[in-house]
Amino acid sequence: ANAALLVQSASVGGVPTGVAYANFNDLSLGSGGGSSLASNGQSIQVNFTGNAQAVQGASGGVYAAPFLSNNNGLNFGTPNGADNSTYLSSGSYAALANSAVELVLPSAMQYFGLLWGSVDNYNYLDFYAGNTLLGTISGSQVTASANGDQGAQGTYYVNIFSDMAFTRVVARSDGYAFEFDNVAFNASNPIPAPATLSLLGLALLGVAAATR
């Protein structure tokens, strides 16, 4: 058995500092995936299965853009308001039950952050070391009101710190949709806390998952 302690903080605003940033704007729209360049010159490999894809804007009943606030998109070149850049969406439905976005990181990491849009209780973020699942963060652990709010109060910048290094992150959802953008990552842990986090609602969760 393997287990990782994942400590997660979530805020409506908040800006991660001292880490690498990737905004996926260099990906082509659709389900082709590809390599996305981060601010430190490293690349994240993005793979889609099922109906997961890179999108912009909104599609009724399928996906809606994350909402940026409190200048939490500055390091990613994204202004406040509905995300008008490319973001990633994954949602399972009927025959597409295994839809997912897989992010293969450039090396082993212990910190991962993301702008998690319209958080739903059926959204899940899995952390792997190779093929070994280390732990999972769910939408209901990000906020007690994980009801798919598409406005400013429904999008959170989520920071995850792990005591075991991970190499892959998989975003999956039991329904439409899991939308996210503006990923941050770092090889060591801890890192500087988001600069404005103390001014906002802060939730801390410890999640232990035993797998394989």
Side-chain angles (χ1 to χ4, degrees), residues 100-139:
V101 178
E102 178 191 44
L103 304 180
V104 181
L105 301 171
S107 61
M109 302 293 167
Q110 287 187 274
Y111 163 79
F112 184 82
L114 75 163
L115 184 75
W116 191 326
S118 54
V119 178
D120 286 296
N121 59 12
Y122 47 79
N123 298 160
Y124 302 95
L125 200 62
D126 299 324
F127 292 82
Y128 289 86
N131 292 323
T132 300
L133 178 63
L134 300 178
T136 297
I137 298 289
S138 69

Short mmCIF file of all heavy atoms in Angstrom, two decimals, residues 100-139:
data_model
loop_
_atom_site.label_atom_id
_atom_site.label_comp_id
_atom_site.label_asym_id
_atom_site.label_seq_id
_atom_site.Cartn_x
_atom_site.Cartn_y
_atom_site.Cartn_z
N ALA A 100 -11.60 12.15 -19.03
CA ALA A 100 -10.64 12.70 -18.08
C ALA A 100 -9.62 13.58 -18.80
O ALA A 100 -9.36 13.41 -19.99
CB ALA A 100 -9.91 11.59 -17.33
N VAL A 101 -9.06 14.52 -18.06
CA VAL A 101 -7.90 15.29 -18.49
C VAL A 101 -6.71 14.78 -17.69
O VAL A 101 -6.73 14.79 -16.45
CB VAL A 101 -8.08 16.80 -18.23
CG1 VAL A 101 -6.82 17.55 -18.66
CG2 VAL A 101 -9.30 17.33 -18.96
N GLU A 102 -5.68 14.34 -18.38
CA GLU A 102 -4.45 13.89 -17.71
C GLU A 102 -3.34 14.91 -17.96
O GLU A 102 -3.09 15.30 -19.10
CB GLU A 102 -4.00 12.53 -18.24
CG GLU A 102 -2.70 12.05 -17.62
CD GLU A 102 -2.11 10.83 -18.33
OE1 GLU A 102 -2.09 10.84 -19.59
OE2 GLU A 102 -1.67 9.90 -17.64
N LEU A 103 -2.69 15.34 -16.89
CA LEU A 103 -1.54 16.23 -16.98
C LEU A 103 -0.31 15.45 -16.54
O LEU A 103 -0.21 15.01 -15.39
CB LEU A 103 -1.72 17.45 -16.08
CG LEU A 103 -2.98 18.30 -16.30
CD1 LEU A 103 -2.99 19.47 -15.32
CD2 LEU A 103 -3.07 18.79 -17.73
N VAL A 104 0.62 15.24 -17.48
CA VAL A 104 1.88 14.58 -17.16
C VAL A 104 2.90 15.68 -16.89
O VAL A 104 3.25 16.46 -17.79
CB VAL A 104 2.34 13.67 -18.31
CG1 VAL A 104 3.65 12.97 -17.93
CG2 VAL A 104 1.26 12.65 -18.65
N LEU A 105 3.36 15.77 -15.65
CA LEU A 105 4.24 16.85 -15.23
C LEU A 105 5.68 16.60 -15.69
O LEU A 105 6.08 15.46 -15.93
CB LEU A 105 4.17 16.99 -13.72
CG LEU A 105 2.75 17.28 -13.19
CD1 LEU A 105 2.71 17.20 -11.67
CD2 LEU A 105 2.25 18.63 -13.67
N PRO A 106 6.48 17.67 -15.82
CA PRO A 106 7.84 17.50 -16.35
C PRO A 106 8.78 16.73 -15.44
O PRO A 106 9.79 16.18 -15.90
CB PRO A 106 8.32 18.94 -16.55
CG PRO A 106 7.45 19.76 -15.66
CD PRO A 106 6.13 19.07 -15.63
N SER A 107 8.47 16.66 -14.15
CA SER A 107 9.27 15.88 -13.19
C SER A 107 8.40 15.68 -11.95
O SER A 107 7.25 16.12 -11.91
CB SER A 107 10.57 16.61 -12.83
OG SER A 107 10.30 17.86 -12.23
N ALA A 108 8.96 15.02 -10.95
CA ALA A 108 8.20 14.77 -9.71
C ALA A 108 7.96 16.09 -8.97
O ALA A 108 8.87 16.90 -8.81
CB ALA A 108 8.95 13.80 -8.83
N MET A 109 6.73 16.30 -8.54
CA MET A 109 6.33 17.54 -7.87
C MET A 109 5.73 17.23 -6.50
O MET A 109 5.25 16.13 -6.25
CB MET A 109 5.28 18.29 -8.71
CG MET A 109 5.74 18.63 -10.12
SD MET A 109 7.07 19.85 -10.11
CE MET A 109 7.63 19.73 -11.83
N GLN A 110 5.73 18.26 -5.64
CA GLN A 110 5.05 18.15 -4.34
C GLN A 110 4.04 19.26 -4.11
O GLN A 110 3.35 19.28 -3.09
CB GLN A 110 6.06 18.11 -3.19
CG GLN A 110 6.81 16.78 -3.11
CD GLN A 110 7.67 16.69 -1.88
OE1 GLN A 110 8.81 17.14 -1.87
NE2 GLN A 110 7.13 16.11 -0.83
N TYR A 111 3.96 20.18 -5.08
CA TYR A 111 2.92 21.23 -5.03
C TYR A 111 2.22 21.31 -6.38
O TYR A 111 2.85 21.19 -7.44
CB TYR A 111 3.52 22.59 -4.70
CG TYR A 111 2.57 23.73 -5.05
CD1 TYR A 111 1.50 24.04 -4.21
CD2 TYR A 111 2.71 24.43 -6.24
CE1 TYR A 111 0.60 25.04 -4.56
CE2 TYR A 111 1.82 25.42 -6.58
CZ TYR A 111 0.76 25.73 -5.75
OH TYR A 111 -0.14 26.70 -6.09
N PHE A 112 0.89 21.52 -6.33
CA PHE A 112 0.10 21.70 -7.54
C PHE A 112 -1.03 22.66 -7.23
O PHE A 112 -1.70 22.54 -6.20
CB PHE A 112 -0.48 20.35 -7.99
CG PHE A 112 -1.24 20.40 -9.28
CD1 PHE A 112 -0.58 20.37 -10.51
CD2 PHE A 112 -2.62 20.46 -9.28
CE1 PHE A 112 -1.28 20.40 -11.70
CE2 PHE A 112 -3.33 20.49 -10.47
CZ PHE A 112 -2.67 20.46 -11.69
N GLY A 113 -1.24 23.64 -8.09
CA GLY A 113 -2.33 24.58 -7.93
C GLY A 113 -3.13 24.70 -9.21
O GLY A 113 -2.60 24.47 -10.31
N LEU A 114 -4.40 25.04 -9.09
CA LEU A 114 -5.23 25.21 -10.28
C LEU A 114 -6.40 26.12 -9.99
O LEU A 114 -6.88 26.21 -8.85
CB LEU A 114 -5.75 23.87 -10.80
CG LEU A 114 -6.89 23.17 -10.06
CD1 LEU A 114 -7.52 22.10 -10.94
CD2 LEU A 114 -6.43 22.56 -8.75
N LEU A 115 -6.87 26.82 -11.03
CA LEU A 115 -8.09 27.60 -10.97
C LEU A 115 -9.24 26.66 -11.29
O LEU A 115 -9.42 26.26 -12.43
CB LEU A 115 -8.03 28.75 -11.97
CG LEU A 115 -9.20 29.72 -11.95
CD1 LEU A 115 -9.11 30.65 -10.73
CD2 LEU A 115 -9.24 30.56 -13.22
N TRP A 116 -10.01 26.29 -10.28
CA TRP A 116 -11.05 25.25 -10.38
C TRP A 116 -12.39 25.95 -10.54
O TRP A 116 -12.90 26.58 -9.61
CB TRP A 116 -11.00 24.40 -9.12
CG TRP A 116 -11.78 23.14 -9.08
CD1 TRP A 116 -12.98 22.87 -9.68
CD2 TRP A 116 -11.44 21.94 -8.36
NE1 TRP A 116 -13.39 21.60 -9.40
CE2 TRP A 116 -12.47 21.01 -8.59
CE3 TRP A 116 -10.38 21.58 -7.54
CZ2 TRP A 116 -12.45 19.74 -8.01
CZ3 TRP A 116 -10.37 20.34 -6.97
CH2 TRP A 116 -11.39 19.41 -7.21
N GLY A 117 -12.99 25.86 -11.72
CA GLY A 117 -14.20 26.60 -12.02
C GLY A 117 -15.47 25.85 -11.67
O GLY A 117 -15.51 24.62 -11.71
N SER A 118 -16.52 26.60 -11.34
CA SER A 118 -17.86 26.08 -11.01
C SER A 118 -17.78 24.73 -10.31
O SER A 118 -18.24 23.70 -10.82
CB SER A 118 -18.74 25.99 -12.25
OG SER A 118 -18.15 25.25 -13.29
N VAL A 119 -17.18 24.72 -9.13
CA VAL A 119 -16.87 23.49 -8.40
C VAL A 119 -18.14 22.67 -8.14
O VAL A 119 -19.12 23.19 -7.61
CB VAL A 119 -16.15 23.80 -7.08
CG1 VAL A 119 -15.87 22.52 -6.30
CG2 VAL A 119 -14.86 24.57 -7.34
N ASP A 120 -18.10 21.41 -8.52
CA ASP A 120 -19.19 20.47 -8.25
C ASP A 120 -18.71 19.36 -7.33
O ASP A 120 -17.52 19.01 -7.32
CB ASP A 120 -19.69 19.83 -9.55
CG ASP A 120 -20.51 20.80 -10.40
OD1 ASP A 120 -21.58 21.21 -9.94
OD2 ASP A 120 -20.07 21.13 -11.52
N ASN A 121 -19.64 18.76 -6.57
CA ASN A 121 -19.25 17.70 -5.64
C ASN A 121 -18.87 16.41 -6.36
O ASN A 121 -18.36 15.48 -5.74
CB ASN A 121 -20.34 17.44 -4.61
CG ASN A 121 -21.67 17.04 -5.22
OD1 ASN A 121 -21.75 16.74 -6.41
ND2 ASN A 121 -22.71 17.03 -4.41
N TYR A 122 -19.11 16.33 -7.68
CA TYR A 122 -18.73 15.15 -8.45
C TYR A 122 -17.48 15.38 -9.29
O TYR A 122 -17.20 14.63 -10.23
CB TYR A 122 -19.90 14.68 -9.33
CG TYR A 122 -20.58 15.78 -10.13
CD1 TYR A 122 -20.02 16.27 -11.31
CD2 TYR A 122 -21.79 16.31 -9.71
CE1 TYR A 122 -20.65 17.25 -12.04
CE2 TYR A 122 -22.44 17.29 -10.43
CZ TYR A 122 -21.85 17.77 -11.60
OH TYR A 122 -22.48 18.75 -12.32
N ASN A 123 -16.72 16.43 -8.99
CA ASN A 123 -15.40 16.67 -9.60
C ASN A 123 -14.33 16.02 -8.73
O ASN A 123 -14.38 16.12 -7.50
CB ASN A 123 -15.10 18.16 -9.70
CG ASN A 123 -16.06 18.94 -10.56
OD1 ASN A 123 -16.14 20.15 -10.43
ND2 ASN A 123 -16.80 18.29 -11.45
N TYR A 124 -13.35 15.40 -9.37
CA TYR A 124 -12.27 14.73 -8.63
C TYR A 124 -10.92 15.01 -9.28
O TYR A 124 -10.80 15.04 -10.50
CB TYR A 124 -12.49 13.21 -8.59
CG TYR A 124 -13.80 12.81 -7.97
CD1 TYR A 124 -14.92 12.58 -8.77
CD2 TYR A 124 -13.94 12.69 -6.58
CE1 TYR A 124 -16.14 12.23 -8.21
CE2 TYR A 124 -15.16 12.34 -6.02
CZ TYR A 124 -16.25 12.11 -6.83
OH TYR A 124 -17.46 11.78 -6.28
N LEU A 125 -9.90 15.18 -8.43
CA LEU A 125 -8.54 15.41 -8.88
C LEU A 125 -7.66 14.32 -8.26
O LEU A 125 -7.51 14.25 -7.04
CB LEU A 125 -8.08 16.80 -8.44
CG LEU A 125 -6.90 17.44 -9.16
CD1 LEU A 125 -7.21 17.66 -10.64
CD2 LEU A 125 -6.55 18.78 -8.50
N ASP A 126 -7.11 13.44 -9.11
CA ASP A 126 -6.30 12.31 -8.65
C ASP A 126 -4.82 12.60 -8.84
O ASP A 126 -4.41 13.13 -9.88
CB ASP A 126 -6.66 11.05 -9.44
CG ASP A 126 -8.11 10.63 -9.29
OD1 ASP A 126 -8.65 10.80 -8.18
OD2 ASP A 126 -8.69 10.14 -10.28
N PHE A 127 -4.01 12.19 -7.88
CA PHE A 127 -2.56 12.39 -7.92
C PHE A 127 -1.85 11.05 -7.99
O PHE A 127 -2.09 10.17 -7.16
CB PHE A 127 -2.10 13.19 -6.70
CG PHE A 127 -2.61 14.61 -6.70
CD1 PHE A 127 -3.89 14.90 -6.27
CD2 PHE A 127 -1.81 15.64 -7.17
CE1 PHE A 127 -4.38 16.20 -6.30
CE2 PHE A 127 -2.27 16.94 -7.21
CZ PHE A 127 -3.56 17.23 -6.77
N TYR A 128 -0.96 10.91 -8.97
CA TYR A 128 -0.27 9.64 -9.21
C TYR A 128 1.24 9.83 -9.18
O TYR A 128 1.77 10.86 -9.61
CB TYR A 128 -0.62 9.09 -10.59
CG TYR A 128 -2.03 8.58 -10.75
CD1 TYR A 128 -3.08 9.43 -11.09
CD2 TYR A 128 -2.31 7.21 -10.61
CE1 TYR A 128 -4.36 8.95 -11.26
CE2 TYR A 128 -3.59 6.73 -10.78
CZ TYR A 128 -4.62 7.60 -11.10
OH TYR A 128 -5.89 7.12 -11.29
N ALA A 129 1.93 8.81 -8.70
CA ALA A 129 3.36 8.65 -8.91
C ALA A 129 3.49 7.50 -9.90
O ALA A 129 3.29 6.33 -9.52
CB ALA A 129 4.08 8.34 -7.61
N GLY A 130 3.76 7.79 -11.16
CA GLY A 130 3.69 6.76 -12.18
C GLY A 130 2.27 6.24 -12.29
O GLY A 130 1.34 7.01 -12.53
N ASN A 131 2.07 4.95 -12.07
CA ASN A 131 0.74 4.36 -12.13
C ASN A 131 0.11 4.15 -10.75
O ASN A 131 -0.97 3.59 -10.64
CB ASN A 131 0.80 3.01 -12.86
CG ASN A 131 1.12 3.16 -14.33
OD1 ASN A 131 0.67 4.12 -14.97
ND2 ASN A 131 1.90 2.24 -14.87
N THR A 132 0.79 4.62 -9.71
CA THR A 132 0.30 4.44 -8.35
C THR A 132 -0.50 5.66 -7.89
O THR A 132 0.02 6.78 -7.87
CB THR A 132 1.46 4.21 -7.38
OG1 THR A 132 2.18 3.04 -7.77
CG2 THR A 132 0.96 4.03 -5.96
N LEU A 133 -1.76 5.46 -7.54
CA LEU A 133 -2.60 6.54 -7.03
C LEU A 133 -2.19 6.88 -5.61
O LEU A 133 -2.19 6.02 -4.73
CB LEU A 133 -4.08 6.11 -7.07
CG LEU A 133 -5.08 7.11 -6.52
CD1 LEU A 133 -5.09 8.41 -7.34
CD2 LEU A 133 -6.47 6.49 -6.47
N LEU A 134 -1.84 8.15 -5.39
CA LEU A 134 -1.42 8.60 -4.06
C LEU A 134 -2.56 9.19 -3.25
O LEU A 134 -2.60 9.07 -2.03
CB LEU A 134 -0.30 9.64 -4.19
CG LEU A 134 0.98 9.18 -4.90
CD1 LEU A 134 1.97 10.34 -4.97
CD2 LEU A 134 1.60 7.98 -4.19
N GLY A 135 -3.49 9.85 -3.92
CA GLY A 135 -4.59 10.48 -3.19
C GLY A 135 -5.50 11.25 -4.13
O GLY A 135 -5.17 11.47 -5.29
N THR A 136 -6.65 11.67 -3.62
CA THR A 136 -7.68 12.34 -4.40
C THR A 136 -8.25 13.52 -3.63
O THR A 136 -8.47 13.42 -2.42
CB THR A 136 -8.82 11.35 -4.75
OG1 THR A 136 -8.30 10.31 -5.57
CG2 THR A 136 -9.95 12.06 -5.49
N ILE A 137 -8.48 14.64 -4.32
CA ILE A 137 -9.20 15.78 -3.78
C ILE A 137 -10.52 15.88 -4.54
O ILE A 137 -10.54 15.85 -5.77
CB ILE A 137 -8.41 17.08 -3.95
CG1 ILE A 137 -7.08 17.04 -3.20
CG2 ILE A 137 -9.23 18.29 -3.51
CD1 ILE A 137 -7.18 17.10 -1.71
N SER A 138 -11.64 16.01 -3.83
CA SER A 138 -12.94 16.12 -4.48
C SER A 138 -13.47 17.55 -4.36
O SER A 138 -13.01 18.33 -3.51
CB SER A 138 -13.95 15.16 -3.85
OG SER A 138 -14.27 15.56 -2.54
N GLY A 139 -14.45 17.87 -5.19
CA GLY A 139 -15.03 19.20 -5.14
C GLY A 139 -15.66 19.53 -3.80
O GLY A 139 -15.60 20.67 -3.33
#
